[in-house]
Amino acid sequence: MKNNPVVCVGASLVDLTFRCDQEPVPFTSNPSKMHRSPGGVVRNIAHHLALLNVPVQLVTILGDDPDGKWLLDQCKDAGIGVEHILFANETTGTFASIATPAGDLHIGAVTSETDRLLTIDFLASRSDVLRSAAVVIADCNLSVQALRWLMQFCNDNNVPLVVETVSIPKAYRLREALPGKLLLVKPNREELAVFEQDTHVTPEEKIAHLHALGFKNVWLSRGAEGSLFSDGTSMVSLPAPRVHVRDVNGAGDASLAGWIYAWLNGKDGVTAVKYGHAAAACLLEVVGAVRKDFSPALLEQRLG
């Protein structure tokens, strides 16, 4: 494994998951159980990488409030490097999700005033750690301008860059920031559609278009139907592992951490997807966006 750190750039949030006792009914109050956990896409990825003993630095902004201090402690406890976190006079962001009794997301809502502070100037002030990275992972909580700057910076300094699309609205930020080169992008079907043109009909045509945009590896996440992975020369379909789902929150973040872990250990892209599937399966078995007992041994065990 490379000794340089993985540098994770983006949002950090507090996750509040409300799991309804029965199927959610709109326009009324639904009895539920609430679970609080550390969240934020890129922060979750950093958390799982740290639990896999990967050196990781988090570049994010927290509010100078109790939630921000709690998140900082959670990061430290996980082994995440926190030297490059900035505290701001804002409220720490929150993601609230309403889940079905089976653990599927019914609806989610997020507020994060600190995201607007993830500016080019802020990233430039962290240039040294970005330049030292074995790989940079960013999420689309960054603005179009910040994503464009980061892609150019990583390209100029020969640092591999992975961007997590986060959601359909935020995937548009990556589209608007292009052109740029990425080691990997991992959209789901709906996020993939953000990059489509009218002539693209098949998944193969849509993925080929992403390669043409500058993405070296494309991992199409299809949920329970598994994944479609392309390195630009071949395309492989991989089935999803069988798992008893307790909560889907954060599974995509864990899967990307699993892929990066495998890639850093010299695995090819397809094998790395298998590690990503195994990491997601580990997370789907628990409630919350992180699994505290996640480890290389648990990951290898889930690979079977």
Side-chain angles (χ1 to χ4, degrees):
M1 183 183 293
K2 299 176 183 179
N3 292 323
N4 289 18
V6 174
V7 178
C8 296
V9 185
S12 297
L13 309 168
V14 174
D15 281 357
L16 300 177
T17 300
F18 296 84
R19 186 165 180 168
C20 296
D21 296 342
Q22 298 179 344
E23 289 299 317
V25 179
F27 312 116
T28 190
S29 177
N30 290 267
S32 65
K33 296 178 179 62
M34 193 271 281
H35 180 79
R36 182 180 191 238
S37 66
V41 168
V42 87
R43 199 222 62 85
N44 292 344
I45 294 167
H47 198 128
H48 284 104
L49 285 170
L51 293 177
L52 290 171
N53 302 322
V54 174
V56 59
Q57 291 286 337
L58 182 59
V59 176
T60 193
I61 298 176
L62 299 177
D64 190 8
D65 57 12
D67 279 344
K69 293 177 175 62
W70 179 77
L71 273 178
L72 181 68
D73 288 340
Q74 294 292 311
C75 291
K76 287 180 178 178
D77 290 347
I80 298 170
V82 298
E83 297 87 347
H84 303 283
I85 293 176
L86 174 69
F87 276 89
N89 188 26
E90 299 284 353
T91 301
T92 299
T94 301
F95 173 69
S97 60
I98 308 298
T100 67
D104 295 323
L105 178 66
H106 180 69
I107 193 170
V110 64
T111 178
S112 185
E113 295 300 318
T114 55
D115 285 3
R116 62 182 176 80
L117 303 177
L118 294 166
T119 62
I120 293 173
D121 287 345
F122 171 68
L123 297 181
S125 72
R126 270 63 179 170
S127 291
D128 287 346
V129 69
L130 291 170
R131 195 177 290 111
S132 74
V135 59
V136 171
I137 306 172
D139 65 33
C140 284
N141 290 299
L142 299 179
S143 67
V144 172
Q145 294 78 15
L147 283 168
R148 187 177 294 135
W149 181 92
L150 187 60
M151 285 192 288
Q152 186 64 55
F153 178 90
C154 289
N155 185 60
D156 290 345
N157 290 277
N158 297 312
V159 177
L161 174 63
V162 174
V163 174
E164 169 56 54
T165 44
V166 177
S167 67
I168 299 167
K170 291 182 178 177
Y172 280 97
R173 298 181 183 181
L174 177 58
R175 189 188 74 176
E176 296 305 312
L178 296 173
K181 295 181 179 179
L182 298 181
L183 170 67
L184 174 71
V185 68
K186 188 181 74 67
N188 59 27
R189 287 189 183 96
E190 293 77 18
E191 292 159 358
L192 177 63
V194 169
F195 302 92
E196 290 175 16
Q197 295 181 352
D198 292 340
T199 55
H200 302 146
V201 178
T202 67
E204 289 78 9
E205 289 173 332
K206 297 171 183 179
I207 288 172
H209 178 60
L210 292 190
H211 286 304
L213 292 174
F215 304 159
K216 182 177 180 180
N217 297 292
V218 178
W219 176 1
L220 175 60
S221 176
R222 301 184 292 185
E225 295 176 34
S227 297
L228 195 60
F229 181 82
S230 172
D231 62 3
T233 59
S234 63
M235 195 171 298
V236 179
S237 178
L238 297 97
R242 302 178 78 174
V243 59
H244 175 67
V245 177
R246 294 193 64 197
D247 183 10
V248 300
N249 190 22
D253 307 336
S255 67
L256 186 53
W259 193 95
I260 294 295
Y261 171 78
W263 179 79
L264 289 171
N265 279 284
K267 307 296 185 185
D268 63 87
V270 173
T271 302
V273 172
K274 295 176 182 177
Y275 275 79
H277 280 183
C282 290
L283 193 73
L284 288 165
E285 295 171 343
V286 301
V287 176
V290 295
R291 179 165 178 166
K292 294 182 178 180
D293 66 341
F294 194 54
S295 67
L298 182 63
L299 183 59
E300 294 288 347
Q301 177 185 342
R302 199 65 181 76
L303 278 164

